[in-house]
């Protein structure tokens, strides 16, 4: 009986350690260490198989990055890009956000998953503003070093998405999919349309995010846009960050 109990304990311990390693391997690249520890302490809070959840999705992109890349050596491009991505990701982690992916110079992040976040729209906007402030510090540093000064645009949307560990048998990513994600990406891209030599629109949000944060941030109505494949329009608002 004693040997049976000992064997069962060892098997249970090995299974738990394997599960912890699985969670750590998946999330250590996406969230801050404190969030990983919380997930390990409370594994019931995470569903890797896929679940519908309301989150706020963040996209950012460097303005005129192609032009910058064409005028610099690959080494210069990678060094500046790595410095920028590292600084922005640290801010995302500080606000409890989840890094979804990098696509070149683009950053995609999620607020409200894997751990629940009651005020994720407000936190996401505050994080975007904090990234803008961090960028101002980098811009001053780059200018003093005689380097090219990069600028960014950001877009946010709040909505229900499918959250889970999605991919093939060879590679999976913890990510979100759905119309709300597509709208967030389009909003970020639309910032260029509403920027000119006199004013750069750095951060725009959808009407869905605006409804949840309008009492906390200085915003102005920008326009209504037709979402591809939809008959209804979506109101866009600029969050004034400068």
């Amino acid at each position: 009986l004693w040997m049976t109990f000992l064997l069962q304990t060892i098997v249970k311990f090995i299974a738990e350690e394997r599960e912890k390693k699985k969670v750590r391997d998946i999330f250590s690249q996406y969230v801050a260490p404190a969030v990983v520890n919380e997930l390990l302490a409370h594994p019931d809070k995470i569903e890797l198989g896929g679940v519908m959840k309301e989150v706020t999705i963040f996209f950012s992109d460097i303005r005129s990055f192609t032009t910058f890349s064409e005028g610099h050596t690959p080494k210069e491009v990678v060094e500046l890009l790595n410095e920028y991505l590292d600084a922005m990701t640290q801010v995302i982690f500080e606000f409890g956000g989840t890094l979804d992916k990098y696509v070149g110079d683009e950053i995609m992040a999620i607020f409200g998953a894997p751990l629940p976040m009651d005020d994720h729209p407000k936190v996401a906007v505050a994080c975007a503003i904090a990234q803008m402030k961090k960028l101002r510090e980098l811009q001053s540093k780059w200018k003093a070093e005689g380097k090219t000064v990069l600028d960014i645009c950001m877009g946010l949307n709040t909505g229900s998405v499918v959250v889970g560990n999605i991919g093939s048998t060879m590679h999976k990513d913890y990510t979100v999919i759905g119309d709300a994600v597509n709208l967030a990406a389009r909003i970020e891209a639309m910032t260029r349309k509403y920027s000119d030599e006199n004013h750069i629109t750095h951060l725009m949000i959808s009407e869905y995010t605006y409804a949840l944060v309008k009492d906390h941030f200085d915003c102005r109505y920008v326009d209504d846009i037709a979402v591809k494949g939809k008959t209804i329009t979506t109101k866009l608002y600029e969050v004034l960050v400068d």
Side-chain angles (χ1 to χ4, degrees):
L1 289 176
W2 181 83
M3 289 297 294
T4 301
F5 172 76
L6 180 61
L7 182 60
Q8 290 176 337
T9 301
I10 293 174
V11 171
K12 181 181 179 182
F13 174 79
I14 292 174
E16 289 176 348
E17 288 303 307
R18 282 179 177 172
E19 187 63 25
K20 287 182 179 180
K21 184 179 185 302
K22 179 181 178 182
V23 171
R24 188 180 289 108
D25 289 345
I26 291 173
F27 288 103
S28 60
Q29 59 184 320
Y30 300 126
V31 298
V35 177
V36 175
N37 293 336
E38 179 69 10
L39 291 170
L40 292 175
H42 304 281
D44 55 299
K45 292 184 178 181
I46 179 175
E47 295 184 62
L48 291 177
V51 61
M52 286 294 297
K53 197 169 187 179
E54 183 185 272
V55 301
T56 297
I57 308 105
F58 165 91
F59 279 93
S60 71
D61 211 7
I62 296 176
R63 292 171 54 84
S64 304
F65 186 72
T66 300
T67 303
F68 165 75
S69 300
E70 291 173 348
H72 294 78
T73 67
K75 183 175 184 293
E76 290 172 334
V77 172
V78 170
E79 286 181 351
L80 204 64
L81 184 58
N82 283 346
E83 183 178 14
Y84 159 76
L85 292 175
D86 184 64
M88 297 302 107
T89 303
Q90 285 185 35
V91 175
I92 291 171
F93 284 179
E94 287 170 7
F95 280 80
T98 299
L99 175 67
D100 188 294
K101 62 176 67 72
Y102 303 127
V103 182
D105 60 303
E106 179 184 83
I107 301 174
M108 176 181 173
I110 315 160
F111 295 82
L115 293 178
M117 184 185 290
D118 293 335
D119 55 350
H120 54 82
K122 179 182 174 183
V123 173
V125 174
C127 179
I129 293 173
Q131 287 184 70
M132 202 66 226
K133 291 180 180 178
K134 174 60 70 173
L135 179 66
R136 295 299 185 223
E137 295 176 10
L138 287 176
Q139 289 174 330
S140 296
K141 176 178 177 292
W142 292 332
K143 186 176 180 179
E145 294 172 347
K147 296 179 180 178
T148 299
V149 177
L150 304 178
D151 205 355
I152 65 172
C153 289
M154 300 171 282
L156 286 167
N157 180 42
T158 301
S160 294
V161 297
V162 176
V163 185
N165 208 31
I166 300 168
S168 68
T169 55
M170 295 172 286
H171 178 77
K172 286 183 172 64
D173 284 320
Y174 184 80
T175 189
V176 293
I177 55 175
D179 286 346
V181 180
N182 300 332
L183 179 56
R186 183 156 187 227
I187 291 172
E188 185 278 317
M190 291 291 285
T191 56
R192 290 154 182 77
K193 179 180 178 181
Y194 302 102
S195 298
D196 55 37
E197 59 183 12
N198 298 315
H199 174 73
I200 296 177
T201 300
H202 286 109
L203 173 58
M204 286 204 308
I205 61 177
S206 70
E207 61 182 273
Y208 311 112
T209 304
Y210 172 76
L212 299 168
V213 305
K214 60 183 179 181
D215 295 330
H216 303 283
F217 302 98
D218 189 10
C219 305
R220 72 174 183 89
Y221 168 76
V222 175
D223 201 356
D224 280 40
I225 63 167
V227 181
K228 185 177 181 181
K230 305 289 183 180
T231 57
I232 60 173
T233 59
T234 300
K235 288 181 172 59
L236 298 183
Y237 295 84
E238 178 185 5
V239 180
L240 304 177
V241 298
D242 292 325

